[in-house]
Amino acid sequence: MRLPLRLLLPALAAAPALRAQSPAPAPAAALPRVHVVATGGTIASTNYYGGEQGKVGIEALLKAMPALDTVARTSAQQFANVASTAVTPAMWVQLARAIADTLRARPDLAGVVVTHGTDTMEETAYFLDLTVADPRPVVVTGAMRPADGVGIDGPANLMHALRVAASPAARGRGAMLLMNDGILAARDATKANAVRPDAFEAPARGLLGVADPEGVVFHRLPQRAPLFDLSRVAELPRVDVVFAYPGADGAAVDALVAAGAKGLVVAGVGRGGTPAAMGTAVDRALRQGVVVVSGTRTGAGSVPVGRGVRTREGAEVPATVGSGDLNVQKARVLLMLALTTTNDPRAVARIFAEHQ
Ligand code: DAS
């Protein structure tokens, strides 16, 4: 006979052998300290499926989280409460500075968690990975389902993100994403599904680790390279992405250059290809000093980085830089930061090579 679950649950709770298996909670004073910086997103939204959307502040999200007092002692900061489509490059700079300042001022912290909308989380996380120079981890998380939804993933993601940020094993691994129990390197992670809770993947390199119920486990080290110093960056240069497809001409490239783009990333077909007319516009942009990175619209695989120059009639002329295995949105972040240090395509190619 199978007993209904509601009858089994009280019996299980009372079983001494099973209760003995759960670890004794650490005394609160012994728990690591984690600072949470909230920016918004679905994790902090209600009424997502209709009507007027509501917003939930980070203090309320933490208060509602079951068993928070067994994981970490938290402090929290409401940096913003916006959808991630409203997050701008200027906000990346402010966020990176805010996190670096907090880590500098608070040697007691084990790490930082950032809550963020999932749509552009990968860009923000990669920007933080490239700019926050501290061995303590920055763990970015969010939710695919709203705070008042059914079967919600936000509390679990936040709980596991705190566990990762509190873990000594997370030190030196840069910025990471924690989604759906998986730990992904900021460099490698991408949102690969618009709806499902298992939306994030790291196509080329796989998960960094997992946040299992028994503990946080890392499988490998992430790729890291010299970081960028934001101390003298007033504004990030404009870099746009342009998509290649059959029949694409040079109109988008020319318009973006006219709008002031200092760099372009081409989401090329296959290994960075473009129709001829678009390629001619890219050559025009290169001659005007725009740095162009050639990526792939496929979502995986690589475009060789190259040297950023090619030889024409015995002389070296600027050429596109391949994105390696960075996706186009990550290549855009790296190019924006690279352009704060140089606009020589050879130097940009060296930077892209270091980040492979
Ligand atoms: N609301 C969207 C965003 O802010 C989606 C999400 O968070 O999952 O990115």
Side-chain angles (χ1 to χ4, degrees):
M1 185 185 118
R2 296 176 66 199
L3 283 176
L5 197 57
R6 74 190 154 74
L7 293 181
L8 276 174
L9 286 176
L12 285 176
L18 284 174
R19 263 189 289 134
Q21 283 174 11
S22 43
L31 289 171
R33 291 183 192 271
V34 177
H35 186 65
V36 184
V37 184
T39 71
T42 294
I43 191 170
S45 302
T46 58
N47 210 9
Y48 198 69
Y49 299 107
E52 202 176 314
Q53 261 188 47
K55 289 182 191 296
V56 187
I58 188 59
E59 296 286 2
L61 286 181
L62 287 168
K63 216 168 170 187
M65 221 185 75
L68 174 63
D69 57 355
T70 65
V71 176
R73 285 175 288 173
T74 55
S75 48
Q77 169 185 357
Q78 194 76 53
F79 177 85
N81 202 346
V82 295
S84 70
T85 43
V87 173
T88 60
M91 286 165 76
W92 296 341
V93 176
Q94 289 163 10
L95 184 62
R97 285 188 179 139
I99 292 171
D101 289 347
T102 301
L103 286 168
R104 205 174 303 117
R106 300 242 348 238
D108 60 317
L109 288 175
V112 169
V113 166
V114 177
T115 59
H116 198 286
T118 61
D119 288 345
T120 70
M121 175 187 282
E122 63 189 271
E123 281 113 309
T124 299
Y126 190 40
F127 188 85
L128 298 177
D129 190 50
L130 292 171
T131 54
V132 177
D134 194 291
R136 288 169 287 175
V138 176
V139 186
V140 186
T141 194
M144 294 298 291
R145 292 179 176 153
D148 60 347
V150 176
I152 59 176
D153 52 339
N157 287 340
L158 185 52
M159 153 85 80
H160 292 315
L162 289 168
R163 292 174 64 224
V164 174
S167 164
R171 280 179 78 91
R173 292 177 199 261
M176 291 163 256
L177 268 68
L178 184 294
M179 290 297 290
N180 202 34
D181 300 358
I183 307 167
L184 303 99
R187 180 199 179 280
D188 307 332
T190 192
K191 185 171 181 178
N193 190 295
V195 191
R196 293 169 52 104
D198 61 346
F200 282 83
E201 289 175 4
R205 304 185 184 206
L207 292 178
L208 262 196
V210 287
D212 275 345
E214 305 74 34
V216 170
V217 180
F218 284 96
H219 304 315
R220 66 178 178 87
L221 287 167
Q223 162 66 31
R224 312 241 33 231
L227 302 188
F228 294 89
D229 177 9
L230 291 177
S231 60
R232 260 171 276 162
V233 174
E235 199 185 358
L236 290 167
R238 177 176 179 146
V239 174
D240 291 287
V241 176
V242 59
F243 209 77
Y245 45 83
D249 61 16
V253 171
D254 290 338
L256 291 168
V257 173
K262 300 286 178 278
L264 289 174
V265 179
V266 178
V269 297
R271 269 199 132 181
T274 58
M278 193 175 176
T280 305
V282 165
D283 282 342
R284 265 197 302 276
L286 288 168
R287 281 199 299 276
Q288 289 176 53
V290 176
V291 179
V292 184
V293 168
S294 178
T296 174
R297 68 176 197 176
T298 62
S302 65
V303 179
V305 172
R307 294 191 305 121
V309 284
R310 68 181 167 203
T311 308
R312 184 182 279 171
E313 291 158 11
E316 282 195 333
V317 295
T320 59
V321 174
S323 63
D325 71 358
L326 288 168
N327 68 24
V328 289
Q329 54 272 37
K330 298 284 174 58
R332 173 175 178 256
V333 173
L334 183 57
L335 181 54
M336 287 168 106
L337 283 166
L339 289 172
T340 65
T341 67
T342 180
N343 46 26
D344 177 349
R346 275 172 296 222
V348 172
R350 281 195 293 275
I351 291 169
F352 269 71
E354 278 173 353
H355 286 266
Q356 299 304 312

